[in-house]
Amino acid sequence: MWYAARAGNSGDWNVARAVRLAGPALRPEVIVAAIDDVVARHEPLRTRYPRTASGPAQVIVPVHEAEPRTDVVAVTEAELPRRLAEFTAGEFDLDTDLPLRARLYVLGPREVVLALVVHHISIDGRSVAPLLRDLVTAYLARQAGAAPNWPPLPVDYADYTLWKHAQLGDYSDEWSRATQQLRYWADTLAGRPAVLEFPDARPRAPRRTGAAGAGAVVAVAFGADVHRALLDRAGAAGASLFMVLQTAFAVAVGAFSGSADVTVATAVAGRDHRLLDDLVGNFADDVLMRVRLDRAAGAEELLDQVRRVALAAFAHPDTPGRRLKRCLLQDATCPLFQATLILQRGAAVRPAAAAHGGLTITEVDTGVVRAKHDLEFGLVDRYDRLGAPAGIDGIFIYPTALFERATAVAFVELFTATVELLATGYRGPVAPLLSGFPAAPR
């Protein structure tokens, strides 16, 4: 992410959230003070990443010097979508800027929209919940005329980074954990296809290395019955729901690309200790799974292969992509992966709004979609209050410069059909599932 920002692609890594706040006596200055409180509490939100003679460095700005950028502007409801999209797409200078900026769009005396943009180098998906929770706590405290009385964090992000360095060791040590992980990936990915080619794709326009393009989304959903059947299939195979979905994804990517050797990816949370749960910071990373579709005679054998590959990948999550690329006999401009599927746990029913002390909070769409990869699923499995499966839903993100919407929809339909086939208990051969991708109508 740091190198991408140096190349001018910082905006591709913005993590943006917008919430509508409604309630009596809303005071913008109190919201600004609450943002300052949260930045003071979480060190990554006041960390700069300047270039030094030995590479990038993390420089934590002292609380009394940190000045989060929070603008307060008056807008109309009609202007809001455009203003939100412009604000959330703006770039950070990681050398000099704090990695967080905020803007309050004042719609009236009882209603504002708060937009927060944090560079991904300082935040991950699991950080959003503690960030917003602490922001609400700070706002309610400041509204009452007091500083937030939250428990101190058990550790800081810097503690985690020092522990991680000590755990991994140095690449100069051939027996270090870092070296062993690098060796695993170099061996695992040797000889794989450098780039997967997809049907009905437009010619790839030259773009800066690591740059994301404009994206669009296609919704995807599976009902509770399919969800339940997938869990049963996973349990019978000694696998997880994620592994069954990843199996279907690998099949769909193989059929779409015409390749029986596909590398797909997912994200790992990286929070392997409860002391990290309430921290804001970037603990996540991508891990790769090379799936050899031609080495599985049937669906059950393929699911077992994906299970083993996924477990091995999760055991080797710490190799930086730039270092790995130097170990592979392929052009360094080739992506490590083009297709990714992420599954997160969610609630059965997402509340439209939440109330805190008379303050109603509703999420607002920022209107910006960036496609960092060719094929990307973000899925959520949901459960009711008794823990029963309630369905799986999410989105498929695709680059509009590469695919027509009809092609993206056709790929989602292929993936959906493959998932539902596995849910019905299909144990037949894999080869027929790779027999070709129907060209999308133009």
Side-chain angles (χ1 to χ4, degrees), residues 182-200:
L182 178 61
R183 187 180 297 120
Y184 166 81
W185 288 114
D187 292 344
T188 298
L189 300 179
R192 72 185 185 127
V195 178
L196 297 176
E197 298 295 340
F198 303 120
D200 296 322

Side-chain angles (χ1 to χ4, degrees), residues 36 39-40 45-48 59-69 96-98:
D36 293 347
V39 170
L45 301 180
R46 48 187 172 87
T47 298
R48 297 189 179 109
V59 178
I60 301 170
V61 178
V63 172
H64 65 276
E65 296 180 14
E67 296 180 356
R69 179 177 154 191
T96 58
D97 294 344
L98 295 187

Side-chain angles (χ1 to χ4, degrees), residues 221-237:
F222 302 96
D225 291 343
V226 173
H227 188 182
R228 188 178 302 106
L230 291 171
L231 288 170
D232 291 342
R233 182 73 187 268

Side-chain angles (χ1 to χ4, degrees), residues 21 28 31-32 70-74 102-106 112-115:
L21 309 175
I31 299 174
V32 172
T70 305
D71 303 321
V72 180
V73 296
R103 181 166 293 175
L104 272 176
Y105 296 95
V106 180
V112 302
V113 170
L114 169 62

Side-chain angles (χ1 to χ4, degrees), residues 34-51:
I35 293 170
D36 293 347
D37 288 330
V38 172
V39 170
R41 177 169 170 79
H42 295 284
E43 288 183 348
L45 301 180
R46 48 187 172 87
T47 298
R48 297 189 179 109
Y49 302 87
R51 183 177 187 174

